[in-house]
Each structure stands twice: as structure tokens, then as C-alpha cells.
């Protein structure tokens, strides 16, 4: 007796059924007026099968029905507890739990409702692969959104990558799910997606928490809740701090090229032991990447020694090609396995926090690559990207553009931003290529793009997405940073969303960066004709919360490294670098600089090689590193340099018009006290003795910092520790200082009120 029609069997065999639970597994039926159970299983590689009843300690043979590999048997019992299947495959037998005996979906109707309207902020806890226990049996629950697929299956080592064995069930909103018992953390898997034309796509999990090391592309079942964090004090402190009134000095780093290790060097394991690692960087023979734990041991002390407040990493989300720098992401929820496991990355962040260093991660919601295992054409249709290439493709980059008008796609990205804060305790994101998201005609010729509904060039859906993400970040994680790399004049980028802004709290000042590099690349004699390059940024500075950034983009593609851009002989090149960065740290705005600038690397950044650490054996490069160490110390120790970065009261020109000498001077004021510092910058190699500037108060002004100091490789011209004021009014100030300005030098001075008071008492 059979209990199923041939057509139903064929729908399973040919993987054409959207809900295999309707046929497979256990079903209660009526037989001879009595309630019994029928168990069905499709076992493509089995020659025989049995149902095993562990509690009753017996097994019952199954019969082939309509196909040699489709089995069923009737069990005469009113109650059927967890059963197992025993199968014979060639000369081997094995026993396992039947996945189709666990008909318990993890996604609730409310989960699906929130996801379909784009508002499930923790959807990563439901979609993807998660360890679970159903009916007392441990396993892994899989769920993937593929609404236009004909079928979806889970592939893995556990089923020999055979999509017929673990066919998933489709819910009413396009989410396919399946609980597979007895799988564990560490299981490698993919999804096999079939479209209605029968084409098969093998995809990594969009919500997968880990992936194999490239060039392999399988996702890996991972438990993100097993790591024991030790940064509660840091997290609580962050929650109560306003980063805009704190020092923010960022060391931007690409983990894969900061430093390599030899292939014969063992890597550090979580328990402190070691094991050989053979992960080799593609163009550096005999070298391998450092692991996250090795980077924690080497990079963090280095950054702490230099005094930076944050480490910013180029994208650490999984990406297939080293040469993309991480900006073409295929695993948005997976830290790249090049450097270790998710737990290893958690350890790195934890160690940063233990050392009072914040962690920023570059985030790439603007585009994604076309790799076959990634998001592109995910379910046989343009699911994550726009179908119209005029909206859905960046031809120049060879990448696809997210469809921000689709709720589920927007939810995927929104939850992803929150995910990195939630699971990895990061302190901020830098959003890459924001301009490419805001403008529909970005890098597109006339006639190759589509206007918005009002006939404009603004991507209205992307704008609303950005606002929503930033609003949620600051709602869930106060004290965090969201930084825009936005290269146009789009207004109110760093204004709150309730005022109509995009909601970032910082924006890279690309105009300042271009002005500075143009200015410093010219011969100092010509700088007198370009004083506006130095001063123009203050005309618009208070329109946004700006971060001054000299990033990786400025030291690649034939642009030369920073020191190579400088004119003059070797001494002048180093002096120009010191002058540039000293002015940068004295100028209002938070700071970001790319690795290698701190010791004056000559060659451009090479993603395949180490930084040129061998240069540190030469005194000028070691002295430049000392300069940055002291510059960061000055910045962190003087509240006047950071508490009012974005308030007009925090900055005052003394003199910005002395273009004949290429000198500027200004005051920075503290928000919480009446203290201030005076910065004087000489941008030519010509020193100036008896250079007078006006100051607001009388007394002794200590020379806190001199970029021309001997220990930095300078000529050591200065003011012997400081100067007393004269009762000569100048620059609309009642008092003035007679200073010696060093060549290509920046002075930072501060009124010593204690010394002034002592002298006044003596008098």
C-alpha cells in the first residue's frame, strides 16, 4: 500500500516542491479506521532505509515507492516520538535524525512582518544559520530570503553538497527555512538556489557570520555569543560621552599590508598556543597575513605608543579579492577569514578597548561585486540590485548598486550596520563613497541614468536609507561615530535627521584635503600667491562637523606618498610634512591619517607588501615618528584643540592675511574653561626673527610645541621655551608677542597663568 501519488514523489525528486514538509517526514493518517503514522524520506544515495525508534529500541524497514530512492513506511502507533533514519549507502550504514521530522519554524509572523516592511533591526538573529535545539535535539536552523526562487536547498559536507537531500520550505513572504539536526558550529554550507528556468546558483549565506578563506566561498556556522567580553567599562563610558567634544585622532590601517609574518612563523591561538599558518599573500613570496590576535599584539601597542585615539580599518567584511582593499564585499556579516575567526576579531576589538583605543570600520553600503557566490542575481532575479542597469550598475567600478527602494534590501543593510556595533562592539563606521549613493548620475554619462520621480538627480530612496541608519545607530549606540566620505557639496550631511540632515556626526573634509595637498606640493616661493588655500576652509567649516583626513586614497595610483609630494631637498620634505600635520592638528576638526605617513614612507602604498619598516633604521624617519607621538600627546592634552571643533567660539583668527610671508596665526579656545592656545604657522623655509602677533591676554606664553625641534629633525629655532608679552597692541589685540618663527615650522603657545601670577605678585 502506498500513501502518496507519483506526481508528489516526482516533485521532490526533481526538487520542484516549495514545501517538502507536506510530503516528507512523519504524517498522521487513517488506516482501517485507525490513526497511524507514515514516515517518508527521499534518500538519493541510499539503497535501503529503516525507521529507528530509539525509545522502543526497534527499527522498521522502509519500502521504495515510485522511485528506488524514495522510501516510506507505516508505523502503527498513536504517538510518534523523535525517530531516526538508518540508511545503507554502498557498503556503509549510518543513523541520523530526519530533518523533516522537525517542523518548527523559528521565524514568527511578526519577524516576517517587520522584515518585509524593512524594520527588523536584529534580523541577523533570525536569517542565516543559527545553532538551535528542537524537540531536545541540537542542530542548525537555516533561513534565507529568496522570494523568486523555485527551490532552495542547503548544501554542505554533511550531505556531500547534494541539493536534493536538504530541500528547504518556502514561507509566504519568500523566506526559505530548514532545521537540520546534529549539525554543529564549524559546519561549512551554502545555499543552492534554483530559478523557474531550472538554472542553479550556489550562494554563500548573505547573513553568514563567517566564510572560508578565499578562494573558497562556503559560509561557516558560527556562534557569536560564546566570546566573553571584557570592555564593559569602555562601553559604559562611551555611552555617556559626546565624541564631538572629545579628541579623535584616527590611525587608518589596512590590516593585510601593515605588516606580514613569515610562513614559517606559527600563529597565536586563543589559548595562547600556536600552530603553523600557510595563508600566503599573493604577491609576497614567503609571507603570510598576521592574524587578528597577532595584530592585537603588534598593531595596538604601536598605535597606543603613537597616541592615536582610534584605529580605523579598511573594510574587514569578507571580500574575495585582496586587491579590492575590502571595498567589494561579498560577506557583509562576516569579518574576513584572512586574519582569523570572528572570535579572533572580537578579541582584537576587546584589546583595543582595554588599551583605550576606539575601533572604526569602513562600511560599504553603496555597491557590491558581481561574484557568482555573492548577492548578485541572488535568486535568479535582480533581488538585491536594481534590474535596470541605468540604476543598478556602476560601470566604472564593475559593481552593482543596492535597490534601496526594496524594504528587505534596506533591512539587510540597516541591520548590518547595527550588527557590527552589537556583536563586535565597534565604536563607529566610516561610510564609503556616500556621493555614489546620493546621486543617480554619479559617474554616468548623459542618457545612461534615470531621474527620480521629480525629474531630479538625487537618489531619494538612498537618502532616506542613510537617514534611517544614522538615526538607529545613535538611538541604539549613543556615543558612537558615523562618518561620511562625501565628496560633494550636499548640504547638512552631518546634521541630525530631525533637522533634515543625513544624520552623520562627522564628514570628511575633502575640500581641505585637496587645498592642502595642492598648497604643499608647490614651491614655497609660490605659496604667497595661494594663501587662500590655507584659509578658505574656515569660511565653510561650521557648515558641517568636519574630519580632516589624509587617507589611503591620497597615496596610491601614481599620487605618491605624502613625503614624496613635498618640494625641496630631503630636509625640506620632512619639514613640510611636519608643518602640514602640525597645522592639521591645530586646525578645527577631528583627524584621520593613513598608516606609513607617521614615519615618512617614500613609496606609494602597496596592498601586497609590508609598509617600509626598514626606513626606521634611518634617523629622519625615526624622528618623524617621535614628532607624531608628541603631536598626538599635545592634541590629547590640550582641550582647546578639540572641545570646540565645531563651534565658532572655539576658533579666532589672529592674522590670516600675511601672504607675503606665508604665515597665519590663530587662537583655539577650550569649551569648559577660559584657557586657549595660540598657533603660528610659517609655510616657507625662510625663518622670521622678531615676528610679532597680537594676543588677548598679558603674561608668559609657554612654547608647548615646535615642529622644528631638534628631536624631530628640525633646525631647532624657537623661543627658548616661551615669550613674555609686550604692551603693544596688534591685530586688534591689546598685547603682542615678539616671536622667532622657524622655517617651515608651526608653533603652539599657551598662556602660563601660574607663572604670570607669580611675577605679578613679585612686582
Amino acid at each position: 500500500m502506498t500513501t502518496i501519488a507519483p506526481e508528489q514523489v516526482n516533485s521532490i525528486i526533481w526538487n520542484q516542491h516549495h514545501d517538502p514538509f507536506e510530503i516528507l517526514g512523519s504524517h498522521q493518517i487513517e488506516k482501517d479506521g485507525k490513526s497511524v503514522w507514515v514516515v517518508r524520506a527521499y534518500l538519493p544515495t541510499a539503497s535501503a532505509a529503516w525507521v529507528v525508534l530509539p525509545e522502543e529500541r526497534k527499527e522498521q524497514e522502509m519500502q521504495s515507492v515510485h522511485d528506488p530512492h524514495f522510501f516510506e513506511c507505516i508505523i502503527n502507533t498513536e504517538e510518534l516520538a523523535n525517530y531516526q533514519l538508518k540508511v545503507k549507502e554502498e557498503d556503509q550504514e549510518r543513523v541520523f535524525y530526519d530533518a523533516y521530522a522537525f517542523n518548527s519554524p523559528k521565524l514568527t509572523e511578526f519577524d516576517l512582518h517587520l522584515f518585509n516592511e524593512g524594520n527588523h533591526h536584529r534580523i541577523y538573529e533570525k536569517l542565516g544559520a543559527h545553532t538551535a535545539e528542537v524537540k531536545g535535539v541540537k542542530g542548525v536552523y537555516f533561513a534565507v530570503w529568496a522570494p523568486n526562487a523555485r527551490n532552495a536547498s542547503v548544501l554542505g559536507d554533511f550531505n556531500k553538497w547534494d541539493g536534493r537531500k536538504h530541500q528547504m520550505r518556502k514561507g509566504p513572504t519568500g523566506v526559505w527555512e530548514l532545521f537540520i539536526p546534529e549539525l554543529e558550529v564549524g559546519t561549512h554550507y551554502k545555499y543552492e538556489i534554483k530559478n523557474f528556468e531550472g538554472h542553479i546558483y550556489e550562494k554563500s549565506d548573505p547573513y553568514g557570520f563567517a566564510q572560508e578563506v578565499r578562494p573558497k566561498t562556503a559560509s561557516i556556522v558560527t556562534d557569536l555569543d560564546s566570546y566573553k567580553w571584557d570592555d564593559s567599562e569602555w562601553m559604559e563610558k562611551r555611552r555617556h560621552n559626546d565624541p564631538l567634544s572629545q579628541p579623535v585622532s584616527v590611525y587608518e590601517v589596512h590590516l593585510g599590508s601593515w605588516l606580514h609574518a613569515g610562513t614559517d612563523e606559527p600563529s597565536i591561538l586563543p589559548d595562547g598556543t600556536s600552530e603553523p599558518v600557510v595563508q600566503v599573500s599573493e604577491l609576497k613570496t614567503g609571507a603570510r597575513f598576521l592574524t587578528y590576535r597577532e595584530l592585537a599584539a603588534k598593531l595596538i601597542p604601536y598605535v597606543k605608543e603613537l597616541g592615536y585615539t582610534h584605529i580605523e580599518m579598511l573594510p574587514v567584511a569578507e571580500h574575495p579579492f585582496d586587491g579590492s582593499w575590502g571595498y567589494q564585499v561579498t560577506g557583509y556579516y562576516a569579518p574576513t577569514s584572512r586574519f582569523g575567526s570572528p572570535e579572533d576579531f572580537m578579541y582584537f576589538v576587546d584589546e583595543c578597548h582595554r588599551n583605550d583605543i576606539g575601533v572604526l570600520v569602513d562600511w560599504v553600503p553603496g555597491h557590491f561585486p558581481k561574484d557568482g557566490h555573492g548577492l548578485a542575481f541572488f535568486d535568479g532575479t535582480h533581488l538585491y540590485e536594481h534590474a535596470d542597469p541605468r540604476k543598478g550598475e556602476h560601470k566604472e567600478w564593475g559593481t552593482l548598486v543596492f535597490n534601496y527602494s526594496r524594504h528587505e534590501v534596506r533591512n539587510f543593510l540597516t541591520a548590518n550596520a547595527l550588527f557590527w556595533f552589537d556583536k563586535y562592539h565597534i565604536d563607529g563606521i566610516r561610510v564609503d563613497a556616500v556621493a555614489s549613493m546620493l546621486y543617480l548620475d554619479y559617474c554616468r554619462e548623459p542618457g545612461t541614468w534615470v531621474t527620480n520621480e521629480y525629474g531630479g538627480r538625487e537618489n531619494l530612496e538612498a537618502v532616506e536609507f542613510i537617514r534611517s541608519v544614522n538615526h538607529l545607530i545613535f538611538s541604539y549606540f549613543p556615543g558612537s561615530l558615523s562618518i561620511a566620505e562625501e565628496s560633494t557639496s550636499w548640504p547638512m550631511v552631518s546634521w541630525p535627521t530631525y533637522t533634515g540632515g543625513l544624520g552623520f556626526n562627522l564628514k570628511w573634509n575633502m575640500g581641505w584635503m585637496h587645498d592642502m595637498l595642492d598648497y604643499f606640493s608647490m614651491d614655497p616661493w609660490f605659496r604667497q600667491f595661494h594663501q587662500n588655500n590655507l584659509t578658505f576652509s574656515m569660511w565653510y567649516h561650521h557648515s558641517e562637523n568636519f574630519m580632516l583626513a589624509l587617507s589611503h586614497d591620497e597615496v596610491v595610483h601614481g599620487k605618491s606618498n605624502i613625503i614624496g609630494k613635498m618640494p625641496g631637498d630631503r630636509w625640506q620634505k620632512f619639514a613640510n610634512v611636519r608643518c602640514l600635520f602640525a597645522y592639521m592638528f591645530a586646525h578645527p576638526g577631528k583627524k584621520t591619517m593613513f598608516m606609513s605617513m607617521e614615519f615618512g614612507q617614500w613609496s606609494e602604498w602597496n596592498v601586497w607588501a609590508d609598509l617600509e619598516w626598514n626606513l626606521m633604521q634611518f634617523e629622519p624617519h625615526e624622528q618623524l615618528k617621535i614628532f607624531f607621538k608628541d603631536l598626538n600627546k599635545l592634541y590629547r592634552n590640550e582641550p582647546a584643540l578639540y572641545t570646540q571643533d565645531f563651534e565658532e567660539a572655539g576658533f579666532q583668527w589672529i592674522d590670516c592675511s600675511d601672504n607675503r610671508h606665508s604665515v597665519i596665526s590663530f587662537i583655539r579656545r577650550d569649551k569648559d574653561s577660559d584657557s586657549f592656545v595660540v598657533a603660528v604657522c610659517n609655510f616657507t623655509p625662510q625663518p622670521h626673527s622678531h615676528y610679532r602677533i597680537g594676543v588677548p591676554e598679558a603674561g608668559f606664553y609657554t612654547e608647548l610645541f615646535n615642529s622644528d625641534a631638534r628631536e624631530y629633525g628640525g633646525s631647532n629655532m624657537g623661543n627658548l621655551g616661551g615669550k613674555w608679552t609686550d604692551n603693544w597692541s596688534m591685530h586688534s589685540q591689546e598685547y603682542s608677542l615678539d616671536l622667532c618663527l622657524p622655517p617651515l615650522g608651526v608653533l603652539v603657545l599657551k598662556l602660563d597663568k601660574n607663572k604670570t601670577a607669580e611675577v605679578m605678585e613679585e612686582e
Side-chain angles (χ1 to χ4, degrees):
M1 171 185 172
T2 62
T3 64
I4 190 168
E7 294 79 10
Q8 293 175 296
V9 173
N10 288 336
S11 69
I12 296 295
I13 293 172
W14 295 105
N15 205 345
Q16 293 179 338
H17 204 297
H18 73 282
D19 186 3
F21 283 88
E22 292 183 357
I23 297 173
L24 301 176
S26 58
H27 300 267
Q28 202 165 19
I29 64 171
E30 290 289 327
K31 178 185 177 186
D32 300 330
K34 182 180 174 183
S35 179
V36 297
W37 290 86
V38 60
V39 176
R40 305 189 193 102
Y42 177 47
L43 307 166
T45 57
S47 57
W50 295 261
V51 174
V52 178
L53 304 174
E55 293 185 3
E56 300 179 23
R57 297 184 179 181
K58 70 176 185 179
E59 58 187 49
Q60 190 167 328
E61 187 173 3
M62 305 182 77
Q63 305 298 319
S64 296
V65 178
H66 305 307
D67 183 272
H69 303 294
F70 192 97
F71 299 89
E72 78 168 15
C73 75
I74 295 174
I75 301 174
N76 291 301
T77 181
E78 291 187 3
E79 297 294 333
L80 182 63
N82 286 347
Y83 65 88
Q84 295 174 302
L85 297 176
K86 184 173 82 170
V87 300
K88 183 178 182 181
E89 295 169 322
E90 297 180 349
D91 296 329
Q92 295 182 338
E93 291 184 354
R94 62 188 181 97
V95 178
F96 56 90
Y97 283 101
D98 182 9
Y100 298 100
F102 299 88
N103 190 359
S104 301
K106 184 177 180 180
L107 281 155
T108 66
E109 289 185 8
F110 188 54
D111 287 326
L112 295 172
H113 170 75
L114 290 176
F115 177 58
N116 292 143
E117 71 175 16
N119 289 322
H120 200 311
H121 302 153
R122 300 172 76 95
I123 191 62
Y124 50 84
E125 294 184 344
K126 298 300 179 77
L127 294 182
H130 302 272
T131 55
E133 184 173 317
V134 180
K135 297 181 181 180
V137 178
K138 294 181 179 180
V140 176
Y141 170 83
F142 297 91
V144 61
W145 179 59
N148 304 305
R150 187 192 76 187
N151 292 95
S153 301
V154 184
L155 306 175
D157 294 327
F158 51 89
N159 61 19
K160 297 184 179 179
W161 303 91
D162 189 337
R164 299 171 296 172
K165 294 184 178 181
H166 288 100
Q167 302 174 38
M168 306 177 78
R169 170 176 53 196
K170 183 181 182 181
T173 60
V175 174
W176 299 78
E177 59 183 354
L178 183 66
F179 174 77
I180 303 180
E182 301 178 292
L183 296 188
E184 299 176 339
V185 168
T187 299
H188 292 200
Y189 71 98
K190 283 187 180 182
Y191 295 117
E192 179 183 274
I193 308 291
K194 293 188 180 71
N195 67 7
F196 280 90
E197 296 176 348
H199 298 159
I200 297 177
Y201 306 88
E202 290 190 5
K203 295 289 187 177
S204 302
D205 189 348
Y207 291 87
F209 295 150
Q211 282 191 15
E212 292 180 295
V213 179
R214 83 287 176 256
K216 295 182 179 180
T217 57
S219 299
I220 304 172
V221 177
T222 305
D223 179 8
L224 296 184
D225 297 322
S226 61
Y227 182 80
K228 304 302 180 185
W229 288 91
D230 188 31
D231 64 348
S232 56
E233 184 178 341
W234 169 275
M235 299 294 282
E236 183 64 16
K237 179 182 176 182
R238 188 188 76 186
R239 192 168 70 87
H240 295 285
N241 276 346
D242 174 14
L244 298 186
S245 62
Q246 300 296 316
V248 177
S249 173
V250 180
Y251 186 76
E252 185 189 28
V253 61
H254 177 260
L255 298 182
S257 57
W258 184 75
L259 180 67
H260 290 83
T263 52
D264 56 346
E265 294 181 53
S267 70
I268 303 171
L269 293 177
D271 61 2
T273 60
S274 61
E275 69 173 0
V277 172
V278 294
Q279 187 55 221
V280 179
S281 179
E282 292 185 17
L283 291 186
K284 190 173 180 188
T285 305
R288 66 165 177 85
F289 293 128
L290 296 178
T291 66
Y292 292 119
R293 291 177 182 269
E294 289 171 326
L295 286 161
K298 296 182 179 182
L299 175 60
I300 293 173
Y302 180 79
V303 171
K304 186 174 183 179
E305 177 196 1
L306 287 171
Y308 291 96
T309 64
H310 292 73
I311 294 174
E312 177 189 329
M313 291 170 282
L314 273 61
V316 295
E318 193 59 81
H319 50 283
F321 177 49
D322 294 357
S324 75
W325 309 343
Y327 289 102
Q328 296 198 10
V329 178
T330 51
Y332 275 81
Y333 286 82
T336 177
S337 55
R338 288 168 175 80
F339 316 122
S341 68
E343 188 174 84
D344 293 335
F345 183 60
M346 292 176 181
Y347 175 83
F348 177 86
V349 176
D350 211 2
E351 282 297 299
C352 284
H353 290 170
R354 288 193 191 104
N355 286 275
D356 293 322
I357 296 173
V359 177
L360 309 178
V361 171
D362 280 16
W363 188 51
V364 193
H367 63 118
F368 59 94
K370 299 177 181 179
D371 295 68
H373 67 282
L375 299 176
F377 215 63
F378 187 80
D379 64 355
T381 67
H382 297 283
L383 186 63
Y384 285 88
E385 69 273 20
H386 286 281
D388 187 340
R390 295 176 298 173
K391 296 179 71 175
E393 186 174 0
H394 279 307
K395 299 278 188 184
E396 186 177 46
W397 298 342
T399 55
L400 302 174
V401 181
F402 283 104
N403 183 353
Y404 305 107
S405 63
R406 190 158 200 164
H407 300 320
E408 297 89 349
V409 173
R410 196 168 61 250
N411 201 148
F412 169 81
L413 290 170
T414 300
N416 182 244
L418 300 175
F419 165 83
W420 289 96
F421 288 93
D422 177 24
K423 296 298 185 181
Y424 289 100
H425 291 202
I426 68 166
D427 302 289
I429 55 174
R430 189 210 67 131
V431 183
D432 179 62
V434 173
S436 73
M437 302 168 65
L438 296 176
Y439 298 98
L440 294 166
D441 62 344
Y442 185 85
C443 287
R444 292 184 173 92
E445 297 295 327
T448 64
W449 59 280
V450 182
T451 66
N452 62 33
E453 58 186 296
Y454 303 107
R457 59 196 285 250
E458 298 81 11
N459 190 333
L460 303 180
E461 293 87 358
V463 170
E464 287 308 308
F465 160 71
I466 290 170
R467 286 174 174 159
S468 174
V469 168
N470 283 324
H471 172 75
L472 291 170
I473 287 174
F474 298 127
S475 297
Y476 283 115
F477 307 102
S480 300
L481 290 169
S482 181
I483 308 165
E485 186 216 5
E486 203 287 308
S487 55
T488 73
S489 57
W490 186 283
M492 302 167 67
V493 171
S494 58
W495 288 36
T497 55
Y498 61 80
T499 66
L502 292 184
F504 295 97
N505 55 1
L506 287 171
K507 173 186 174 177
W508 272 15
N509 193 336
M510 311 294 279
W512 177 89
M513 179 269 296
H514 287 297
D515 285 345
M516 288 303 98
L517 295 183
D518 287 346
Y519 183 84
F520 275 89
S521 65
M522 67 180 68
D523 186 283
W525 188 87
F526 293 101
R527 292 177 182 175
Q528 62 185 306
F529 307 114
H530 298 273
Q531 187 86 345
N532 188 57
N533 284 48
L534 297 172
T535 61
F536 182 63
S537 59
M538 290 312 301
W539 281 99
Y540 61 83
H541 178 77
H542 296 100
S543 64
E544 299 279 3
N545 299 332
F546 280 116
M547 171 172 272
L548 310 182
L550 292 169
S551 74
H552 63 278
D553 283 326
E554 310 318 315
V555 295
V556 290
H557 305 321
K559 298 177 184 177
S560 176
N561 213 311
I562 289 294
I563 196 167
K565 301 176 191 290
M566 302 300 167
D569 58 22
R570 184 176 292 259
W571 186 93
Q572 288 193 35
K573 287 181 183 294
F574 277 93
N576 270 299
V577 169
R578 296 193 302 271
C579 188
L580 166 61
F581 281 99
Y583 177 48
M584 174 182 178
F585 274 68
H587 189 289
K590 307 309 180 187
K591 329 295 179 188
T592 291
M593 55 169 284
F594 188 56
M595 62 182 193
S596 80
M597 295 180 184
E598 76 276 10
F599 62 84
Q601 177 166 309
W602 290 99
S603 63
E604 289 187 338
W605 170 47
N606 180 0
V607 71
W608 308 110
D610 291 348
L611 301 185
E612 294 181 343
W613 297 109
N614 61 298
L615 293 175
M616 295 303 295
Q617 65 184 304
F618 302 110
E619 188 177 32
H621 297 276
E622 177 64 30
Q623 290 172 325
L624 187 58
K625 179 185 170 185
I626 296 171
F627 162 82
F628 275 101
K629 180 179 177 180
D630 288 353
L631 185 60
N632 271 307
K633 182 178 180 181
L634 169 76
Y635 174 61
R636 297 177 73 158
N637 288 345
E638 292 301 325
L641 293 176
Y642 60 78
T643 56
Q644 293 198 100
D645 273 322
F646 313 114
E647 299 175 27
E648 292 188 22
F651 178 89
Q652 179 185 355
W653 284 116
I654 295 174
D655 182 17
C656 62
S657 59
D658 187 7
N659 64 296
R660 187 168 67 91
H661 296 103
S662 296
V663 173
I664 60 172
S665 52
F666 53 89
I667 297 171
R668 297 291 312 278
R669 298 185 185 275
D670 180 22
K671 182 177 183 178
D672 302 317
S673 71
D674 60 354
S675 69
F676 61 91
V677 297
V678 173
V680 189
C681 312
N682 175 19
F683 296 100
T684 72
Q686 176 64 47
H688 301 292
S689 58
H690 303 295
Y691 190 93
R692 189 170 293 276
I693 64 165
V695 290
E697 295 184 31
F700 184 80
Y701 282 74
T702 301
E703 189 176 86
L704 296 178
F705 188 83
N706 182 347
S707 69
D708 189 52
R710 178 183 290 112
E711 54 265 37
Y712 309 145
S715 62
N716 208 39
M717 294 186 67
N719 297 276
L720 301 176
K723 279 292 186 75
W724 286 95
T725 55
D726 296 315
N727 292 326
W728 296 0
S729 62
M730 194 168 189
H731 298 135
S732 301
Q733 305 291 341
E734 189 173 351
Y735 308 97
S736 61
L737 289 170
D738 181 5
L739 298 173
C740 173
L741 300 189
L744 294 169
V746 174
L747 303 177
V748 178
L749 304 108
K750 184 179 181 180
L751 177 65
D752 187 336
K753 296 188 177 182
N754 292 329
K755 191 168 187 177
T756 302
E758 290 173 4
V759 172
M760 291 179 66
E761 287 178 5
E762 291 175 0
E763 293 177 350

